[in-house]
Amino acid sequence: MKHLLYFLAFITFPSFILAQSYQIKNFEMLKESLDSGKEVRAVIKYAKCKLIVDSLETEAPDATGGMMFNTFEYFAKMSINNPKAFVTTSETVLISHKRRGFVYNYVKIKIYEDNSVEITAKYLLPNTFEVVMDETFYSEINDGINDKGVWLYAR
């Protein structure tokens, strides 16, 4: 039994070393990572993004959010009448908000072939799906040099 445990530790240890994360620095790296089945996650520093609320640019909050690309879609240029290729992912989770009570927090990330990123964030009431908050953030993929607001990682 002791030898079996050593053997299992020996077999699984390299997988922990090889499964290290790396930063995705552009759209092509993102597409390659997704196409090869890698786990991709986004870390968004909202203060480094442009925030639009009710068609007006507003100061973005000093907040950070994160999201896995559990489900995504890729659309090639002009495949659905879109001028630029893009990858999109979204997620909805039920949260408890201090003023609104329980709301669905819907976030959609759309990343374009020119490395620009559009993030839609909405709060929806659980019973009616009425939108009680609607924000759109704009930024770019952070390439380690440009100081933009969207970091992408793969593993």
Side-chain angles (χ1 to χ4, degrees):
M1 183 66 167
K2 191 176 187 181
H3 294 298
L4 178 61
L5 291 175
Y6 286 130
F7 177 73
L8 289 174
F10 179 75
I11 294 287
T12 58
F13 182 71
S15 66
F16 291 118
I17 293 172
L18 296 175
Q20 292 184 12
S21 294
Y22 59 90
Q23 185 177 0
I24 296 171
K25 297 183 176 187
N26 57 50
F27 183 83
E28 193 58 40
M29 283 182 74
L30 171 63
K31 188 158 177 336
E32 288 171 9
S33 297
L34 292 169
D35 286 347
S36 64
K38 300 275 194 292
E39 293 177 356
V40 174
R41 67 185 184 281
V43 176
I44 303 157
K45 302 210 177 195
Y46 291 101
K48 294 181 179 282
C49 300
K50 181 166 84 171
L51 169 60
I52 304 296
V53 179
D54 297 327
S55 302
L56 298 172
E57 188 169 346
T58 307
E59 185 176 346
D62 186 9
T64 302
M67 190 168 119
M68 295 291 298
F69 281 51
N70 291 322
T71 304
F72 69 91
E73 291 182 305
Y74 164 75
F75 294 94
K77 183 177 182 176
M78 297 309 293
S79 62
I80 55 169
N81 243 1
N82 48 314
K84 295 188 271 189
F86 66 90
V87 169
T88 187
T89 185
S90 65
E91 184 174 19
T92 304
V93 293
L94 183 65
I95 64 169
S96 177
H97 189 274
K98 68 179 181 179
R99 287 182 314 196
R100 302 183 191 278
F102 286 104
V103 292
Y104 285 120
N105 182 12
Y106 168 79
V107 177
K108 177 178 75 172
I109 301 173
K110 201 176 210 182
I111 302 173
Y112 295 94
E113 65 184 343
D114 63 359
N115 299 324
S116 63
V117 181
E118 179 182 301
I119 304 150
T120 303
K122 296 182 182 195
Y123 288 166
L124 297 96
L125 296 178
N127 296 334
T128 63
F129 294 106
E130 176 189 353
V131 176
V132 293
M133 189 227 32
D134 189 355
E135 299 175 335
T136 305
F137 296 86
Y138 296 94
S139 192
E140 294 177 28
I141 297 172
N142 185 298
D143 63 7
I145 299 169
N146 65 11
D147 199 36
K148 298 299 180 176
V150 180
W151 280 257
L152 300 174
Y153 298 95
R155 180 174 75 174

